[in-house]
Amino acid sequence: MNPSNKTILIAGGAGYIGSHTVVELLNAGHRVVVIDNLSNSQSNPDDFDDLPPSLWRAKQITGKECLHFIKADINNKEQVNMAFDRFNIDTVFDFTGRKAVGESTQLPILYYKYNMNGTMTLLKCMREHDVQNFVFSSSCTVYGAPSPDNLPIKETDPVGCCQCPYAKCKYFTECLLQDLAQGEPDYWRIIIMRYFNPVGAHESGMIGEDPRGDPQNLMPKLAQVAVGKRPILNIYGEDYETKDGSPIRDYIHVVDVAKAHRKTIKKFQDIRGTEVYNIGTGEGKTAWDMVKAFEIACGKPIAFQMCGRRPGDVPKIYCDPSKAEKDLGWRAERSHTQMCADLWRFYTLNPNGYQDASVLRESGLNIEY
């Protein structure tokens, strides 16, 4: 491995965005250490040489060996310190925390506990091991409900008028990171990535979104209806002031999100304190746009029913991603039709998600690029 390449710790790296970022970082030549408690993944850490299925598949996609996994809860400082003690960590990516807007309104204590304490534990361990580079997985929900006259959203737009506990946790953690960097301005190098709506899957069909329980987001529910795991799709809201009454979101391919993270590695040499980036396409699509594109991808109509608005949802939001293009040399490249095609490929090959991982292992499947 080139000595200029880094050892990167990815907290929550067995999850959806984390596993795709693992692929990008391995392909870039970095050593990757993942810590994850597997609370939101269909994973058995006793399989695949102690790698959970998503990471075993990431290893197959890349053909790289420099991937390590530690089952750990980031709320447990002793467990997290194991990773820092065993490896010479250069940079930390934080993908941890629960992420469903609707669920957070029902279980606010759970969200405040898990979505903030873990990040603070990571930061304490970093400081004790003299690790300065940190990437935080934030969210467009910190912008609250922007007015139509204030779209597209820029990083300099107001934040903090949040609609749900999930968003408040992201906002409060951003405040913590800003305060931390202000307290030690010559030490911390922190990048905050405000995602919009990551969807899709790796083009190989080997890794994708496989949430436990009832998914709260549109696209996995849509795919579950298409493969017969769910009888009908609920579409929340038909009276928004949009072209078809359904809410508008800035959907972005998960591989584009992962590539944005890979671009942050070089940026750390240029910054002190914090930098914030919108990670989106800059183009809004309605829920109906995505349903229609997915019907084309899967070749069948999707059964649906209209429901009322969900608490915490906003009518429309999409971003101006030009700062990420200027500073990081990154921009989204994949269309919403490709998002749907790649998502359908993953669900076609994995109708039961990573529960079918043993089939891939026994077949000896290996992907070459």
Side-chain angles (χ1 to χ4, degrees), residues 143 150 153-159 194 276 278 320 323:
Y143 293 114
N150 204 37
I153 289 284
K154 297 179 175 61
E155 291 87 351
T156 54
D157 286 333
V159 294
R194 291 177 182 159
V276 180
N278 286 333
D320 176 356
K323 181 182 176 184

Side-chain angles (χ1 to χ4, degrees), residues 201 205-209 342-350 354:
M206 290 185 71
I207 58 174
E209 187 170 15
D342 290 341
L343 179 63
W344 178 237
R345 185 179 302 108
F346 175 75
Y347 272 84
T348 300
L349 295 174
N350 307 275
Y354 291 130

